[in-house]
Amino acid sequence: MSSSSATTTLPGDPPGGRRAMAVWGIGVSVYFVAVIFRTSLGVAGLDAADRFHVNASALSTFSILQLLVYAGMQIPVGLLVDRLGTKKVLTIGVVLFTAGQLGFAFSPSYGMALASRALLGCGDAMTFISVLRLGTRWFPARRGPLVAQLAGLAGMAGNLVSTLVLARLLHGVGWTAAFAGSALAGVLVLVLLLLFLKDHPEGYEPEPFPHQGAAYVRRQIAASWREPGTRLGLWVHFTTQFPAMVFLLLWGLPFLVQAQGLSRATAGELLTLVVLSNMVVGLVYGQIIARHHAARLPLALGTVAATAVVWAATLAYPADRAPMWLLIVLCTVLGSCGPASMIGFDFARPANPAERQGTASGITNMGGFVASMTTLFAIGVLLDATGDDYTVAFSAVFVLQALGVGQILRLRGRVAQRERERLVASRVETVHVPA
């Protein structure tokens, strides 16, 4: 596949259409539910601290462990998707994250709750890469950027449900009923998945590929990593995703309530704004990249710059609390982080053939979750060390952004050269294809 796939239909491309949308929609619904479960702790962080009698560092361990499992699973999941197909991997994922959500509902202790979040993270890790693979099997390559952004949009819709619905359930019916009740959504999507999902349309079966144990695993990982596009995709994902992830997953609500003096209701509205902004920006970014492939890097770096500037303005505001207008701007800009992270897959996807798409996507997807896990831990430790000084703690964001931008700038030239070479090679192949 070449970079020209953004604008042309390749021979053998699946046709898309209504059936593709229906099947892909089932996969997306699984990811939607996974994100509800993943982000449920973001609206329950303060409640979890009270329920399990833990401090900021211990509270952050919930999300850190969940993301550690998620990030660690990305390459194994990518290999599984390439080997077993989407349906089998998604089925395993649904069973695991539903069991994790149920376990979290009934956990009597901090240790049991940690184990439940780890199980949830394991199942969650199997969803997004599977949905990306499903998109490449059912839609033409030129639809790739938009399909990826729409998948991310579904994830943000799940985040929105978590922020609005689960938060109200939590304070209406209590911890156990809210989390156990939400687990029923996992059962529903499992039924849909088993009955209706197919890995690919008829007539578009992938070519059989030999799988030879450890040797196959080593080849897949090594070949994917050798591609500069895969590594650039990882660093784009690393640098863009984590500020919003950290804010939504755990520290946004405590920051807005404890440091900014807002009510929980107002803080919840600002978290909702992040999600809504994400959904709008995702549609815009998807359309721009589908039409102008060269816009990928400017959009990613522009998002990083905007995020850094607004974070700095919020943390360095001279008064004790930032004004509401600045918090609104911050949450609006944070909404662009998720769509920008999807750009990473638009570097990895054309750099790898079909039989490596799952593995390459897994490597890319590790980036943002490793950054999020690192930042969640750093913020928790710094809050405990400084007596809840959010200005110092949240400055950890800038360190990881600087690291990521340096790697992006180092790799961008090599990636551009490889994409030009693939474009020339694809044109030569097209000329020699018999009519």
Side-chain angles (χ1 to χ4, degrees):
M1 186 184 300
S2 76
S3 59
S4 62
S5 64
T7 56
T8 61
T9 300
L10 300 179
D13 263 2
R18 292 182 180 178
R19 183 148 188 263
M21 285 298 299
V23 173
W24 182 74
I26 295 170
V28 167
S29 70
V30 174
Y31 178 56
F32 169 77
V33 173
V35 173
I36 294 176
F37 293 179
R38 178 201 304 170
T39 58
S40 57
L41 187 61
V43 297
L46 297 176
D47 300 89
D50 293 337
R51 180 179 177 87
F52 300 112
H53 310 291
V54 294
N55 60 14
S57 296
L59 182 61
S60 67
T61 303
F62 276 123
S63 296
I64 291 167
L65 178 61
Q66 184 179 333
L67 292 183
L68 177 63
V69 172
Y70 188 105
M73 286 289 293
Q74 289 310 291
I75 292 178
V77 167
L79 290 164
L80 282 174
V81 171
D82 285 337
R83 182 167 185 173
L84 301 179
T86 300
K87 185 170 185 174
K88 291 179 181 178
V89 176
L90 276 180
T91 301
I92 298 169
V94 174
V95 171
L96 291 178
F97 69 60
T98 303
Q101 188 77 340
L102 273 174
F104 197 57
F106 293 102
S107 292
S109 66
Y110 177 67
M112 286 288 291
L114 274 179
S116 296
R117 294 308 285 188
L119 189 63
L120 192 157
C122 186
D124 181 19
M126 298 184 175
T127 58
F128 187 66
I129 293 175
S130 298
V131 171
L132 286 180
R133 174 61 173 262
L134 197 65
T136 63
R137 291 299 189 195
W138 281 88
F139 293 96
R142 70 178 186 277
R143 300 293 186 194
L146 184 58
V147 168
Q149 290 290 351
L150 288 174
L153 184 67
M156 281 298 102
N159 203 326
L160 187 62
V161 169
S162 179
T163 303
L164 295 178
V165 179
L166 192 58
R168 292 183 181 180
L169 281 175
L170 187 64
H171 299 114
V173 300
W175 179 282
T176 300
F179 281 100
S182 66
L184 293 175
V187 177
L188 174 61
V189 295
L190 177 60
V191 172
L192 292 174
L193 168 64
L194 293 174
L195 291 178
F196 301 112
L197 190 133
K198 292 184 179 296
D199 284 347
H200 48 73
E202 294 179 8
Y204 290 87
E205 294 82 359
E207 294 182 7
F209 190 78
H211 304 296
Q212 300 173 352
Y216 160 75
V217 171
R218 287 195 298 269
R219 281 199 308 272
Q220 286 287 89
I221 296 173
S224 298
W225 185 253
R226 276 197 300 269
E227 286 291 345
T230 304
R231 301 199 300 276
L232 179 59
L234 179 146
W235 284 109
V236 167
H237 200 270
F238 177 101
T239 314
T240 53
Q241 187 202 46
F242 78 93
M245 178 69 73
V246 166
F247 199 79
L248 289 170
L249 200 60
L250 184 61
W251 291 121
L253 187 68
F255 169 72
L256 294 172
V257 173
Q258 296 176 349
Q260 299 302 318
L262 302 180
S263 67
R264 284 197 178 206
T266 304
E269 290 171 357
L270 286 174
L271 293 178
T272 303
L273 176 61
V274 177
V275 177
L276 292 175
S277 172
N278 187 302
M279 296 171 77
V280 173
V281 174
L283 289 174
V284 174
Y285 278 18
Q287 293 287 354
I288 291 174
I289 296 170
R291 290 174 169 79
H292 308 286
H293 222 42
R296 291 171 299 170
L297 207 54
L299 283 176
L301 292 175
T303 300
V304 174
T307 304
V309 168
V310 179
W311 257 125
T314 303
L315 297 178
Y317 196 78
D320 290 339
R321 294 170 180 171
M324 180 56 71
W325 67 264
L326 184 54
L327 294 176
I328 290 173
V329 172
L330 171 66
C331 291
T332 303
V333 172
L334 284 175
S336 65
C337 292
S341 72
M342 295 296 102
I343 296 172
F345 298 102
D346 291 318
F347 286 107
R349 184 170 45 247
N352 291 273
E355 65 269 15
R356 288 206 310 264
Q357 287 296 312
T359 306
S361 295
I363 292 172
T364 300
N365 208 30
M366 283 180 61
F369 290 93
V370 169
S372 298
M373 178 180 60
T374 304
T375 310
L376 283 166
F377 176 74
I379 290 174
V381 170
L382 289 171
L383 284 173
D384 284 340
T386 60
D388 291 340
D389 187 333
Y390 280 89
T391 299
V392 174
F394 275 16
S395 295
V397 169
F398 306 121
V399 177
L400 272 75
Q401 284 184 320
L403 171 64
V405 168
Q407 293 298 318
I408 290 171
L409 295 178
R410 182 178 68 85
L411 288 165
R412 61 176 180 172
R414 253 179 290 177
V415 171
Q417 180 180 351
R418 290 295 291 270
E419 289 190 344
R420 286 194 297 269
E421 291 171 356
R422 283 195 299 271
L423 179 60
V424 171
S426 68
R427 286 174 175 170
V428 171
E429 290 175 4
T430 302
V431 168
H432 289 88
V433 169

